[in-house]
């Protein structure tokens, strides 16, 4: 940071030493005049006092000049002037701070008060951009010692004279500064209102005094100084003082001043932090209150202080799981929302994580004045509402984030997005979702030069390619708050993972658990032995290859546990079973009913959202001590454990990848609870070599999936580029593609054809399908022939529809218009079912036929219309979600909007407003509704303590989350309505007949 230049500072002085006193001749015990008044030549008494409001406009002070009466002070002034003007190299920018005291010294408090008078101080700060910041400072104690600096003894009017002389010396070079300084002074004068504040009673009057002619100064400088003094003091005397409580002003200014300081700091290129990394100190208090975070880890501090972040460069950072990556991202997000006043997009991989993050940040939004908007599942508005006052944090899944960015580009609002944060950046290399993420980031990079991108992951390898793609800096650290010990179990022997040894393993111990012959057959992998070493005192996760295996492991473990395990938090376990029964409308899974009394449950995608959240919550609070889960939990919600067991080195039928392995074992060790975490991979003898390679190999590289996912990747990208008018010629498309991850890796991924040839083939294919119009030159790739999008093409990309099914969907919808059956929802449900779901459906056709026969006549007619007659019952029925972009399908918009809402929550209509609140599930919604909390407004204004008392099995933490989420949602809806009202009342600028 640059060294501050010399400062010319005028500080508050005791009493009226710093002010021109307008009191009677009798000196006040608190203050005294700057210089004694010299009697007039006639020796007469001063004229009668007149109210200050009637002072002469021509000359309020006559020939009075307090400096003439003090030769020593005048000498000091001359010396300082001379020294000041001699320094020709002094730059006004390096002058530090020029603090001008308020000359309106006639402000007196009532006679009964003995408090010191506060001064309004205007701080003019010349920084790198010659910007000036105005702050109000508290009164300085009347006993404060005078400063040694001579300049500190000078009134502000004389300092103004110095600046004038300096302007004459330096010429045009400093005139902009002087102009700005004058503006600030004028602004401060405008803030002073009431003339009565200078003379609140009859004792405080102006006393003009005449001086004899021999008291005139011969020096030009002194004459000039006197003129400037009189001019400045006259202006100050005419000014008015704002009659507002100083305490109230200060209270209201605290947060806004800190944000203003932080904003200056953030915009500066210097590493000069504010109260809390450029944020108001209130943010630190909120992290302590909501998260229990007192201090940051050293790596988090280092990362936040990176020069690349100070200069708003893109950044990729990588640390092991549980290292605290998300907290850094959240602080950067708050800097963008509060200091730079820009919207932020946070992209997360799964719906469950989005919902968890929305719940976690809603309370920050309520306290700090920004909106948290959820873009997951059926939630989200495209384009988002343009807020005039508050800024928005959009928390989205990969697919919703892509749609959001498209809508911002289309409405030319992409520059409103100041920051994009991507969690699990390694997902760039994972199938169609990776292709969608790459497309999203490439569009942001290409269309907005002001949007900063932050990517984080625990499992990155070929970082160089990602840096080149994102034009980003890189930060990494091996920090983990809790030590992780990795083990591999083969038969009854446990080996410690040690990369320094030849085979990567070292012997650790033998299992010490007595197995009967029956138990040995039921549990050949000794899972019960590994589990009982930690539960119920500590928590444990078992990752299983398949969903069925999760259920089998949970059942097997509880069969052989001792009865003592049932006594651990027995009542809470029964409450959990009762809650699950309510969620299931009276029924609960037999496996869960058997395992939960022992503190055990399974966790996989077969559970409903409500069931999964209930089980996660019970595990987090320690009611459940063991979860048998699939690999999706590893990258899902934050559920750490003392010990993590990998049931087998497989995910379904595929051998485990290194990044999957790292994600799973990263769940071991709970910060602040455990001193260490353990991971145990169970392997068979036949897989020993593969496991050795797995635990000692580097992470997999991250490659573009645009080519592998052709219809969801490359062709989808080309279609949206033309539709959004990002690139409308072959040459422009080529230029865009070079900025993608595929463009960075084209030598590795497209060996048979060049990237330009792949683009040409893709554009021609889109033209053949009727999604684009135009012509692609066979020879000249730099042809300026414009490409345009067709209505069907526009509907396809805006609806995020897989190009492989767009024509089929169009035909289905066209057929539906000929005879849409609305006696039930079956027809709409068919049209709204995604085509790609059919690949995962393997129905029992006998059951299918039995269900078909139970349909009503109208519903069977629907089956005939969609091509599923009884004679051809084995035909797969499928469909796809739709957006109303084709006018001919206008009827579907209203029908499918309502159907979507009903399918999202699957509850009675009256519960839907409560279900919209993050953290409220069906069973909880019923409880709240029955307790009288029937609307969003009821919840938003509820007292968390009252909720805890009225709602059974509701913790205080849950109650606070529900209330803050409801407040955020209510605020968001109110803001949206207010924006709509203001837009409606806005006077159009193009009214006919107006100029």
């Amino acid at each position: 940071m640059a060294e501050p230049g010399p400062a010319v500072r005028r500080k508050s002085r005791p009493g009226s030493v710093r002010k021109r006193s307008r009191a009677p001749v009798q000196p006040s015990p608190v203050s005294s005049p700057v210089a004694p008044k010299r009697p007039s030549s006639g020796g007469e008494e001063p004229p009668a006092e007149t109210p200050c409001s009637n002072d002469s406009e021509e000359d309020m002070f006559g020939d009075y000049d307090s400096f003439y009466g003090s030769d020593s002070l005048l000498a000091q002034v001359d010396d300082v002037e001379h020294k000041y003007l001699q320094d020709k190299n002094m730059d006004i920018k390096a002058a530090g701070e020029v603090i001008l005291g308020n000359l309106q010294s006639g402000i007196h408090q009532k006679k009964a008060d003995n408090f010191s008078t506060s001064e309004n101080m205007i701080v003019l700060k010349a920084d790198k951009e010659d910007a000036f910041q105005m702050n109000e400072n508290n009164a300085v104690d009347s006993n404060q010692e005078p400063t040694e600096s001579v300049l500190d003894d000078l009134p502000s009017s004389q300092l103004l004279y110095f600046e004038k002389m300096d302007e004459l010396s330096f010429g045009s070079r400093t005139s902009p500064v002087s102009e700005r300084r004058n503006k600030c002074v004028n602004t401060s004068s405008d803030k002073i209102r009431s003339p009565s504040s200078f003379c609140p009673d009859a004792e405080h009057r102006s006393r003009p005094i005449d001086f004899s002619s021999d008291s005139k100064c011969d020096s030009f400088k002194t004459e000039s100084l006197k003129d400037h003094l009189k001019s400045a003091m006259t202006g100050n005397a005419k000014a008015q003082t704002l009659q507002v409580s100083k305490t109230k002003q200060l209270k209201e200014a605290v947060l806004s001043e800190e944000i203003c300081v932080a904003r200056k700091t953030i915009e500066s290129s210097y590493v000069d932090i504010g109260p809390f990394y450029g944020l108001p100190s209130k943010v630190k208090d909120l992290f302590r209150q909501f998260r229990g975070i007192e201090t940051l880890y050293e790596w988090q501090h280092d990362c936040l202080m990176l020069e690349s972040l100070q200069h708003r460069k893109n950044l990729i950072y990588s640390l092991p799981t549980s290292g605290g990556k998300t907290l850094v991202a959240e602080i950067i997000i708050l800097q963008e929302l509060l200091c730079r006043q820009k919207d932020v997009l946070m992209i997360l991989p799964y719906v469950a994580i989005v919902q968890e993050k929305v719940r976690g940040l809603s309370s920050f939004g309520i306290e700090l004045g920004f909106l948290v908007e959820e873009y997951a599942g059926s939630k989200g508005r495209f384009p988002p509402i343009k807020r005039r006052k508050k800024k928005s944090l959009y928390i989205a899944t990969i697919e919703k984030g892509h749609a959001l960015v498209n809508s911002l580009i289309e409405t030319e609002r992409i520059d409103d997005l100041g920051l994009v944060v991507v969690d699990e950046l390694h997902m760039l290399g994972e199938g169609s979702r990776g292709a969608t993420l790459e497309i999203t980031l490439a569009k942001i990079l290409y269309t907005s030069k002001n949007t900063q991108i932050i990517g984080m992951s625990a499992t990155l390898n070929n970082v160089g390619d990602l840096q080149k793609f994102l034009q980003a800096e890189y930060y990494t650290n091996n920090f983990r708050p809790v030590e992780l010990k990795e083990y591999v179990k083969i038969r009854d022997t446990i080996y410690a993972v040690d990369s320094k040894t030849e085979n990567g393993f070292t012997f650790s111990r033998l299992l010490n658990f007595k197995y009967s012959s029956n138990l040995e057959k039921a549990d050949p992998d000794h899972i019960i032995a590994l589990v009982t070493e930690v539960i119920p005192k500590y928590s444990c996760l078992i990752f299983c290859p398949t969903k069925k295996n999760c259920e089998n492991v949970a059942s097997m473990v509880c069969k052989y546990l001792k009865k003592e395990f049932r006594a651990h938090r027995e009542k809470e376990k029964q409450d959990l079973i009762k809650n699950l029964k309510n969620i299931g409308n009276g029924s609960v899974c037999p496996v869960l009913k058997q395992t939960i009394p022992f503190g055990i449950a399974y966790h996989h995608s077969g559970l409903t959202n409500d069931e999964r959240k209930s089980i996660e919550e019970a595990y987090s609070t320690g009611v459940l001590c063991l979860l048998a889960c699939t690999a999706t939990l590893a990258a899902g919600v934050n559920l750490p454990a003392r010990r993590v067991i990998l049931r087998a080195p497989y995910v379904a039928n595929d051998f485990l990848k290194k990044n999957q392995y790292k994600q799973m074992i990263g769940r071991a060790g709970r910060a602040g609870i455990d001193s260490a975490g353990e991971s145990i991979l169970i392997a068979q003898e036949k897989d020993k070599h593969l496991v050795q390679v797995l635990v000692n190999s580097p992470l997999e590289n991250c490659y573009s999936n645009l080519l592998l996912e052709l219809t969801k990747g490359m062709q989808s990208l080309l279609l949206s580029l033309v539709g959004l008018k990002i690139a409308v010629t072959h040459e422009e498309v080529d230029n865009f593609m070079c900025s993608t991850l595929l463009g960075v890796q084209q030598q590795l991924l497209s060996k048979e054809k060049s990237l330009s040839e792949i683009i040409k083939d893709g554009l021609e294919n889109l033209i053949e399908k009727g999604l684009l119009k135009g012509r692609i030159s066979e020879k000249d790739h730099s042809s300026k022939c414009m490409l345009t999008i067709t209505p069907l093409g526009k509907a396809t990309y805006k609806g995020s529809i897989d190009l492989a099914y767009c024509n089929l969907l169009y035909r289905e919808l066209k057929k539906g218009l000929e005879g849409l059956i609305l006696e039930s929802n079956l027809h709409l449900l068919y049209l709204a079912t995604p085509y790609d779901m059919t690949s995962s459906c393997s129905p029992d056709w006998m059951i299918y036929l039995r269900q078909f026969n139970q349909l009503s006549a109208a519903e069977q007619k629907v089956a005939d219309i969609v091509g599923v007659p009884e004679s051809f019952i084995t035909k797969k029925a499928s469909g796809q979600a739709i957006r109303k972009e084709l006018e001919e399908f206008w009827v579907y918009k209203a029908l499918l909007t309502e159907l979507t809402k009903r399918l999202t929550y699957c509850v009675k209509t009256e519960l839907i407003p409560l279900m919209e609140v993050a953290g409220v599930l069906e069973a909880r919604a019923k409880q709240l509704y029955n307790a009288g909390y029937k609307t969003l407004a009821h919840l938003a204004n509820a007292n968390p303590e009252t909720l805890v008392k009225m709602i059974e099995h509701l913790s205080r933490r849950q109650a606070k989350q529900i209330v803050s989420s409801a407040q955020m949602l209510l605020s968001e809806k109110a803001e949206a309505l207010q924006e709509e009202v203001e837009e409606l009342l806005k006077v159009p600028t193009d009214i006919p007949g107006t100029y």
Side-chain angles (χ1 to χ4, degrees), residues 544-616:
C544 303
T546 65
K547 290 187 285 187
K548 189 62 179 175
N549 195 229
C550 290
E551 298 176 25
N552 291 340
V553 167
S555 295
M556 183 269 295
V557 170
C558 75
K559 281 180 184 177
Y560 294 95
L561 287 181
K562 295 178 181 179
K563 291 183 179 180
E564 287 79 2
F565 282 88
R566 298 177 67 100
H568 181 72
R569 302 181 73 164
E570 186 174 5
K571 184 182 182 302
E572 286 142 296
K573 293 172 188 173
Q574 292 303 318
D575 291 340
L576 174 60
I577 293 175
K578 185 179 178 181
N579 187 33
L580 291 172
K581 190 176 289 186
N582 291 335
I583 291 171
N585 294 318
S587 64
V588 64
C589 171
V591 176
L592 292 176
K593 193 173 183 179
Q594 174 196 7
T595 61
I596 287 176
F598 289 90
I600 300 169
Y602 63 81
H603 184 289
H604 58 58
S605 59
L607 295 169
T608 65
N609 279 341
D610 291 356
E611 289 171 336
R612 189 166 62 248
K613 287 177 183 176
S614 294
I615 287 172
E616 288 169 0

Side-chain angles (χ1 to χ4, degrees), residues 893-943:
K893 182 177 182 181
L895 294 171
L896 290 175
T897 300
E898 186 61 31
L899 178 67
T900 300
K901 186 175 286 189
R902 291 181 63 184
L903 288 175
T904 299
Y905 301 112
C906 296
V907 295
K908 293 180 180 179
T909 307
E910 61 265 24
L911 295 181
I912 289 178
L914 300 178
M915 294 286 289
E916 289 179 339
V917 178
V920 175
L921 312 178
E922 182 182 0
R924 185 73 75 210
K926 288 178 181 177
Q927 285 181 308
L928 291 167
Y929 189 85
N930 293 334
Y933 297 96
K934 299 184 177 183
T935 66
L936 187 60
H938 283 149
L939 278 185
N941 292 283
N943 184 333

Side-chain angles (χ1 to χ4, degrees), residues 167-235:
E167 180 182 345
L168 294 173
S169 301
F170 286 84
S172 61
R173 181 165 64 89
T174 60
S175 60
V177 178
S178 300
E179 289 176 11
R180 269 191 289 271
R181 195 166 282 162
N182 289 336
K183 287 180 183 177
C184 289
V185 173
N186 291 337
T187 304
S188 69
S189 299
D190 292 337
K191 292 184 178 180
I192 305 171
R193 294 283 179 247
S194 174
S196 63
S197 62
F198 290 101
C199 45
D201 54 51
E203 292 181 0
H204 297 85
R205 313 289 186 184
S206 62
R207 291 177 173 268
I209 299 177
D210 294 332
F211 284 81
S212 59
S213 59
D214 61 349
S215 64
K216 309 274 188 198
C217 296
D218 296 328
S219 167
F220 165 77
K221 288 182 182 178
T222 308
E223 278 291 331
S224 177
L225 174 60
K226 186 181 78 170
D227 292 340
H228 280 285
L229 282 170
K230 290 200 297 184
S231 175
M233 292 166 66
T234 301

Side-chain angles (χ1 to χ4, degrees), residues 823 854-862 864:
E823 288 185 34
Q854 292 177 8
L855 295 177
S856 66
E859 289 171 334
Q860 288 189 4
K861 187 178 179 181
V862 172
D864 286 333

